[in-house]
Amino acid sequence: MQDNKALKLFKEVLAKTRAGRIQWNATEIANQYSSGLPSGHRLVSSSLVQIDDWGKPDNEFSLALCANENELLRVTSAVDGVDWPDLQELHELARRSALGVNEELDQVLGELAKL
């Protein structure tokens, strides 16, 4: 599906997340992370595990733009120019940001260095 604005949004969010300029927070829903924008809009990165016809788990990642509890736009790999590995990377970066994984790793690595 051709959607130039959805593609541009995704690329901007991925680039800003890679640069550490977007901070993500855990939500009450498992495998879902959100970030509030100054405009009041919210970005939501989600992972949904589905079982394929062969009984094998299949992850589907998405980025949603929300306003006032309404989903305005959902970006998936169905959008031309957005591929699954980039969606997965965004979700992993959002998860690590929301859960403070890098800080926890620094602490553990520091402890291990002292052993």
Side-chain angles (χ1 to χ4, degrees):
M1 170 179 70
Q2 184 71 30
D3 188 337
N4 293 333
K5 288 186 178 183
L7 177 59
K8 184 175 182 177
L9 172 73
F10 177 75
K11 286 184 173 187
E12 284 289 321
V13 171
L14 180 57
K16 299 282 195 271
T17 300
R18 282 175 176 157
R21 296 186 60 198
I22 295 178
Q23 298 302 308
W24 294 86
N25 301 296
T27 70
E28 59 278 353
I29 300 171
N31 294 315
Q32 185 181 80
Y33 307 99
S34 71
S35 180
L37 298 174
S39 63
H41 292 87
R42 212 168 21 97
L43 300 168
V44 179
S45 177
S46 301
S47 171
L48 175 65
V49 178
Q50 298 177 350
I51 305 300
D52 68 13
D53 294 340
W54 302 100
K56 188 173 151 189
D58 182 31
N59 280 346
E60 185 66 36
F61 298 98
S62 66
L63 172 68
L65 174 64
C66 302
N68 300 322
E69 303 305 318
N70 294 311
E71 184 177 292
L72 303 176
L73 175 73
R74 180 171 291 271
V75 180
T76 67
S77 58
V79 174
D80 291 345
V82 176
D83 61 6
W84 189 88
D86 285 342
L87 282 164
Q88 181 185 26
E89 179 186 0
L90 175 63
H91 188 74
E92 179 62 11
L93 291 170
R95 184 187 73 78
R96 289 176 74 118
S97 171
L99 301 180
V101 172
N102 290 337
E103 293 80 7
E104 295 288 335
L105 282 172
D106 289 342
Q107 180 180 356
V108 169
L109 291 170
E111 291 173 2
L112 290 171
K114 294 176 185 175
L115 296 178

